[in-house]
């Protein structure tokens, strides 16, 4: 009996340590990111309420997402369809899910009515599939056009030069609403190195907005990640995608 009791107490203690320890890490990290957002907005003369923090939870287990939720997060971003499909039913229904990774056309049907925003639309073929699946589910899909602003071969996205034409082609599709642009800037050690790219995305959004294309707004600029989100905010980001800064380093093994 003493052994069983000791085992139970040990199990309870381990559970408590996991809960409080993990919760505190995520909670503290989240508070620090929110404070950084506030400071960046202050420097830029912006209202922090203009910026949505997306907690990028790819590869992270559900308990860590629950910790972020308990600390106030409601917007979560995933790179893979399967992770959204797996996590969505396990977590509160008021979470707003964002598809931020490359989206294959044959997987659109699995998330079309599960996400609030698809950030990574980079072709007319993908947009047509989103439109088709949205029509089947009788929903309207909010999307962003992904722009490969630095012209990196390793990244997806339409070129800045072709973005406006793609948006005009997508704008006529039913059940789709173009809400803005998304960009993944190059990986750099000095975030200042990406400032010019963020400025270019902002200017592109302003130029496209000036065209007054039906069914298109440029109200969302999704740019900036853990390493450079403060610079992105200073240059006009309305959504920042922070994963490591909240949840810690990822283990891809």
């Amino acid at each position: 009996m003493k052994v069983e009791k000791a085992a139970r107490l040990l199990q309870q203690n381990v559970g408590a340590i996991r809960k409080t320890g993990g919760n505190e890490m995520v909670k503290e990290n989240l508070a620090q990111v929110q404070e950084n957002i506030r400071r960046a907005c202050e420097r830029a003369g912006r209202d922090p309420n203009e910026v949505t923090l997306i907690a990028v939870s790819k590869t992270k287990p559900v308990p860590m997402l629950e910790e972020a939720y308990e600390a106030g997060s409601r917007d979560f971003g995933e790179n893979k369809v399967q992770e959204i499909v797996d996590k969505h039913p396990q977590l509160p229904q008021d979470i707003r899910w964002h598809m931020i990774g490359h989206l294959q056309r044959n997987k659109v049907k699995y998330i079309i009515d599960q996400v609030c925003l698809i950030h990574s639309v980079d072709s007319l073929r993908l947009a047509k599939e989103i439109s088709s699946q949205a029509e089947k589910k009788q929903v309207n899909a909010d999307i962003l056009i992904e722009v490969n602003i630095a012209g990196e071969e390793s990244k997806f996205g339409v070129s800045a030069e072709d973005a406006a034409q793609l948006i005009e082609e997508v704008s006529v599709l039913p059940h789709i609403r173009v809400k803005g642009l998304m960009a993944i800037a190059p990986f750099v050690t000095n975030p200042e190195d990406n400032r010019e790219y963020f400025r270019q995305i902002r200017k592109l959004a302003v130029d496209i907005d000036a065209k007054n294309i039906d069914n298109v707004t440029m109200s969302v600029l999704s740019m900036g990640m853990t390493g450079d989100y403060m610079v992105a905010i200073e240059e006009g980001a309305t959504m920042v995608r922070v994963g490591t800064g909240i949840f810690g380093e990822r283990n891809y093994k």
Side-chain angles (χ1 to χ4, degrees):
M1 290 296 292
K2 288 183 179 179
V3 174
E4 290 178 2
K5 185 177 180 181
R8 281 200 303 272
L9 286 172
L10 179 61
Q11 196 171 30
Q12 289 169 3
N13 288 337
V14 169
I17 290 167
R18 282 176 181 165
K19 186 174 182 181
T20 57
N23 187 284
E24 287 305 310
M25 183 201 78
V26 171
K27 184 178 180 181
E28 289 173 8
N29 287 350
L30 195 56
Q32 184 60 61
V33 171
Q34 289 167 336
E35 174 61 15
N36 290 343
I37 289 172
R38 186 194 67 76
R39 290 177 180 174
C41 285
E42 186 176 47
R43 288 193 294 271
R46 299 181 63 192
D47 181 349
N49 292 321
E50 296 175 5
V51 180
T52 298
L53 171 59
I54 299 172
V56 179
S57 45
K58 64 180 182 179
T59 78
K60 295 300 180 181
V62 166
M64 289 195 80
L65 277 70
E66 290 173 336
E67 290 163 9
Y69 180 89
E70 289 169 9
S73 287
R74 292 298 180 270
D75 290 89
F76 289 83
E78 291 287 347
N79 280 53
K80 295 185 181 299
V81 166
Q82 190 59 51
E83 288 205 61
I84 294 175
V85 171
D86 290 344
K87 293 173 181 177
H88 186 280
Q90 300 184 61
L91 288 154
Q93 293 304 298
D94 63 336
I95 284 177
R96 294 177 291 272
W97 293 95
H98 298 253
M99 179 62 197
I100 62 175
H102 180 63
L103 180 57
Q104 295 173 303
R105 296 195 310 279
N106 64 344
K107 294 185 177 179
V108 171
K109 60 188 175 185
Y110 299 114
I111 59 154
I112 192 64
D113 58 347
Q114 307 289 309
V115 299
C116 71
L117 186 62
I118 299 173
H119 291 231
S120 48
V121 179
D122 60 358
S123 72
L124 182 58
R125 292 177 71 194
L126 175 57
K128 285 180 175 178
E129 182 63 23
I130 291 170
S131 174
S132 173
Q133 294 299 331
E135 186 170 16
K136 289 178 183 178
K137 293 280 189 177
Q138 286 302 295
V139 297
N140 289 314
D142 289 342
I143 69 167
L144 304 180
I145 299 300
E146 181 177 1
V147 180
N148 186 349
I149 194 62
E152 295 179 277
E153 290 185 7
S154 61
K155 291 203 173 91
F156 294 100
V158 64
S159 69
E161 295 75 20
D162 295 335
Q165 181 181 339
L166 175 59
I167 287 171
E168 288 180 350
E169 292 170 343
V170 171
S171 69
V172 299
L173 298 174
H175 296 278
I176 277 188
R177 297 181 296 208
V178 180
K179 294 295 185 179
L181 304 177
M182 185 270 256
I184 301 174
F187 177 78
V188 293
T189 53
N190 181 1
E192 284 295 329
D193 292 342
N194 279 336
R195 187 178 294 276
E196 183 56 34
Y197 293 122
F198 295 140
R199 284 178 177 164
Q200 289 176 27
I201 283 287
R202 172 65 177 161
K203 183 180 184 303
L204 180 62
V206 170
D207 291 346
I208 291 171
D209 197 43
K211 293 178 179 290
N212 293 315
I213 305 169
D214 288 343
N215 197 33
V216 173
T217 64
M218 286 289 116
S219 58
V220 177
L221 279 182
S222 172
M223 60 186 192
M225 298 164 69
T226 293
D228 55 19
Y229 65 90
M230 286 178 281
V231 172
I233 288 168
E234 291 169 6
E235 296 302 331
T238 65
M239 287 186 177
V240 292
R241 310 179 303 271
V242 180
T244 303
I246 296 172
F247 297 108
E249 295 293 336
R250 294 186 179 86
N251 183 356
Y252 288 101
K253 292 181 181 178

